[in-house]
Amino acid sequence: MFTRTDRLQERISDQASLRGWLCSRQDRGKVIFLTLRDGHGTSQVVCSRDQLGDDQFCACKSAPLESALSVTGLVSLPTGKPIAELLATSIIILPSEPGFPIGRKDHGPDFLMDQRHLWIRSAKQAAILRIRSSLEFACVSFLQRAGFHRFDAPLITPTSCEGTTELFKLDYFGNPAFLSQSAQLYSEAGIAALEKVYSLGPCFRAEKSITRRHLTEFWGVEPEMAWVEAEENMQFQEQFIRGILEIVAAEREADLLLLERNPSDLRFPSGCFEVVLYDDVIKRLAVKGRDLSWGSDLSVEDEEALSVDFDRPFFIYKYPVQCRAFYIEADPKRPEVALSSDCLMPDGFGEIITGGQRAADYDFLRQRLAEHGLDEATFNWYLDLRRFGSVPHSGFGMGIERMLRWICGLHHIRETIPFARTPQRCSP
């Protein structure tokens, strides 16, 4: 039975066995200190010639970094130190080649991304990936407890969700098809069967955006709810954000601290997230010297300039219809604006969620399809959802990588996914 490195502290004065990979070594002559890494963290292994004998001790001296090994010994708490270590009595080191390409010196981002299959072993990258795992689990567990059903949408679709210019086109047995931008349209079919559904899966955007915020392949969580209008949708988004961040903060304290993030940063002050109307956003930006004409969408720089004024997430609500997707409901009291919102994270981060109330009327949706130049015949199945039992309904989408970037305090989104895909990168 092997002990996890993060549980070694529970085994002080006991015999225990660890297994993992050699990530560093200090040779002090008669004693060698090895740092063993497993999927949960690292532990120090103390190797002495007296305990191991000549052969095993020499193997410790010569083992290449990243060699796989298993060690048995006595768990000890050194005097004056808070962390347990393993005093090795036997060690097995499996063969591995020397010359691991990632050393302690600084490497450029292009080199590290070329070596991504190896870079993910580093302490920081492994911590990010553990936090990602907890974040995805938090999304699923929160939504399941809230009465949602998982609803898996296809990744190969005959239609676009938001616009054909950002789609990866496929030849599907002689017919055109696309990699999915979003599960939303299919999830809207699911709500008439299950009322509250969510998807969690990959999305594809053929945007040639070379920024620290964009990927061409990313993962999104997308809840959809029947009988829910725009304001209630924003209220649920607040509950969702607070709920998932609480789970991550509780589960991943050590990893957050390793990334120099205090878990308390994931817990916001009490009080509702503020809702700022789009019209007021234009005025706020003008005060900051930023000129946004009515009807234009916000730029990344606009979002960052706004969010520095907030200590918690906030919503921008009622965007002009002309800068929102075809499926968004218009405000019946002011048809030129949409019942659509973005949720922005504080401290200069920007948008993390896009959501809104979906168009429920058949004729209005047909009109919107025509305005966007979309083929009505391709969307017949989607129009059927308005012909048969349409109700007010809302939903939203959150990119896992964007939220993870905020949680971890990362400059660039490329570190938030095991293998990033961008306009400039499709390997490894």
Side-chain angles (χ1 to χ4, degrees), residues 106-148:
D106 289 337
H107 297 285
D110 288 338
F111 173 84
L112 290 171
M113 291 305 294
D114 287 342
Q115 301 293 329
R116 183 62 175 170
H117 53 296
L118 303 176
W119 187 30
I120 58 175
R121 303 183 188 190
S122 70
K124 177 182 174 182
Q125 299 305 311
I128 293 168
L129 295 178
R130 284 191 291 267
I131 295 170
R132 179 189 173 103
S133 177
S134 287
L135 173 60
E136 291 181 325
F137 174 78
C139 292
V140 170
S141 60
F142 182 92
L143 292 169
Q144 292 285 155
R145 288 199 305 270
F148 284 73

Side-chain angles (χ1 to χ4, degrees), residues 188 191 224-229 356-360 382 386 390-395:
E188 288 185 63
I191 60 172
E224 289 289 325
M225 299 164 280
W227 314 104
V228 169
E229 298 186 348
Q357 187 170 331
R358 315 310 189 190
Y382 188 61
R386 276 65 180 177
S390 182
V391 299
H393 60 288
S394 300

